[in-house]
């Protein structure tokens, strides 16, 4: 069977070239982009100014399907979690996180994940497969469409984080292409500072970030000593802190940009004074921002969340040492939509308090 290329994996220039190669007008690419990315019209019938010949050609040669939203749950704090299914039946989870002046979508880059961080629900799945760039953009489009139809026509995502299922740099080429598409002016049109790529520390791929659009970078650090990091993230056996930081130093940072270090704070494990001193030793306060993520417990999780007093103390010690340090407000915990809790679990709907099967 012929494998069709996804409509949502083309950049504008690639679409123009594709149309030209197939003897169609180059200009139609702009019209198609306008229908898809500005008006969210995915049904060819609705593309009123696009020629019948192009539509016939697309029906035969291009994959026009969007992933399907098969479940969604709304948390008490407004966070909405989605289970999104691709044409081969594989599913990933996405989260839409409302903020004061933003709406962030958390995208998945893989089905499952090979990295196996021990604190992460997704990590227990193993890696099933990479997602194509069209499938990554498809998550953005499907969920936007769903929100427009079910919440309000003015709903618009302002920010994207690659913090769903998967290690984005393990799927470098497709995530790179998807990021270019998120930035495309005549497409989704997000700014570089509105996109955050989060990595567990795949050193050989971090070294290639010079060849990646200049978006925000977040490093999942989680420990400042090798023995603890290895316990939490098996990848540290291969890429220890020394190798990781020698690669991070080579990331081309635009002026005034910082790298965010994600730090899951776990009771009694990495919340001690020597962990703070270790961070101070590793990081440079002018170039680093630390985001403390108090551990989100999930069914059968082996770790505990520190007390609020301990979290405040940890943050203050870092602030006193000159680091911009935030504590992530946990959102969506009642529906397992918080960081590290994503896992495709349609077979266990009892984990979700607000189940709502959509299809
Ligand atoms: S935290 Fe990220 S990199 Fe680690 S197992 Fe989970 S999804 Fe993979």
């Amino acid at each position: 069977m012929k494998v069709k290329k996804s409509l949502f994996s083309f950049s504008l220039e690639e679409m123009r070239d594709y149309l030209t190669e197939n003897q169609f007008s180059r200009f139609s690419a702009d019209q198609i982009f306008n229908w898809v990315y500005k008006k969210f019209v995915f049904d060819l019938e609705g593309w009123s100014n696009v020629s019948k010949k192009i539509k016939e050609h697309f029906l035969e040669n291009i994959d026009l399907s969007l992933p399907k939203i098969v479940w969604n749950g709304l948390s008490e704090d407004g966070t909405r979690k989605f289970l999104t299914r691709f044409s081969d039946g594989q599913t990933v989870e996405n989260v839409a996180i409302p903020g004061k002046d933003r709406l962030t979508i958390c995208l998945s880059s893989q089905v499952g994940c090979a990295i196996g961080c021990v604190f992460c629900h997704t990590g227990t799945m193993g890696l099933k497969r990479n997602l194509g760039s069209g499938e990554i953009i498809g998550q953005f489009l499907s969920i936007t469409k769903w929100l427009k139809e079910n919440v309000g026509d003015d709903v618009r995502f302002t920010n994207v984080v690659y913090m769903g299922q998967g290690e984005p740099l393990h799927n470098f080429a497709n995530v790179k292409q998807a990021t270019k598409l998120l930035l495309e002016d005549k497409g989704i049109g997000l700014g570089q500072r509105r996109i955050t790529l989060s990595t567990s520390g795949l050193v050989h791929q971090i070294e290639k970030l010079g060849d990646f659009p200049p978006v925000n970078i977040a490093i999942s650090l989680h420990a400042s000593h090798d023995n603890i990091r290895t316990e939490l993230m098996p990848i540290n056996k291969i890429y220890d802190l020394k190798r990781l930081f020698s690669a991070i130093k080579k990331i081309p940072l635009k002026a005034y940009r910082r790298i965010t270090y994600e730090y899951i704070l776990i009771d009694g494990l990495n919340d001690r004074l020597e962990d703070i001193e270790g961070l101070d030793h590793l990081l440079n306060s002018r170039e680093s921002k630390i985001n403390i993520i108090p551990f989100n417990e999930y069914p059968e999780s082996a770790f505990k969340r520190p007390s609020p007093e301990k979290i405040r103390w940890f943050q203050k010690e870092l602030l006193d040492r000159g680091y911009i340090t935030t504590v992530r407000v946990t959102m969506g915990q009642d529906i397992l939509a918080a960081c590290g809790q994503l896992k495709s679990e349609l077979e266990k709907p009892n984990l979700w308090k607000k189940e709502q099967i959509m299809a």
Side-chain angles (χ1 to χ4, degrees), residues 174-308:
N174 292 337
V175 173
K176 178 181 161 186
Q177 173 73 356
T179 305
K180 283 196 207 158
L181 300 174
L182 291 169
L183 293 167
E184 179 87 62
D185 265 353
K186 291 195 173 177
I188 292 168
L190 293 179
Q192 290 167 356
R193 303 182 89 146
R194 300 242 173 219
I195 301 171
T196 301
L197 178 82
S198 173
T199 175
S200 61
L202 279 192
V203 163
H204 66 292
Q205 301 294 60
I206 290 176
E207 284 165 351
K208 287 166 42 184
L209 281 176
D211 181 36
F212 197 92
V215 296
N216 299 322
I217 303 291
I219 307 277
S220 300
L221 188 57
H222 306 322
S224 57
H225 298 285
D226 275 317
N227 59 335
I228 298 178
R229 193 161 191 268
T230 301
E231 194 181 318
L232 293 172
M233 308 175 76
I235 192 174
N236 199 66
K237 277 187 224 151
I238 308 165
Y239 299 125
D240 63 11
L241 288 166
K242 192 164 171 227
R243 289 190 72 184
L244 177 61
F245 277 88
S246 110
I248 288 172
K249 287 202 181 87
K250 293 184 210 136
I251 297 177
L253 278 186
K254 283 205 167 178
Y256 309 115
R257 297 260 176 114
R258 287 188 170 87
I259 292 183
T260 300
Y261 292 91
E262 308 283 351
Y263 194 95
I264 289 192
L265 201 63
I266 300 173
D267 187 37
L269 185 76
N270 61 357
D271 60 350
R272 307 157 306 164
L273 184 59
E274 62 201 90
D275 299 306
I276 293 166
E277 288 164 352
L279 284 172
D280 197 22
H281 176 71
L282 286 172
L283 308 182
N284 174 333
S285 61
R286 273 177 296 121
E287 292 165 1
S288 316
K289 180 184 157 196
I290 302 168
N291 189 20
I292 299 169
I293 308 163
F295 180 69
N296 293 312
E297 293 173 29
Y298 58 82
E300 293 132 46
S301 62
F303 301 116
K304 292 265 166 287
R305 186 183 178 91
S307 66

Side-chain angles (χ1 to χ4, degrees), residues 113 115-117 119-120 122-123 164 166 200:
C113 183
I115 304 295
C117 305
F119 52 81
C120 173
T122 308
S200 61

Side-chain angles (χ1 to χ4, degrees), residues 12 19 33 49 61 99 125 131 199 209 214 225 301 323 348:
L12 181 62
L19 291 172
F33 262 57
N49 56 359
N61 297 287
M125 289 173 72
L131 294 177
T199 175
L209 281 176
H225 298 285
S301 62
Y323 293 93
K348 286 189 190 169

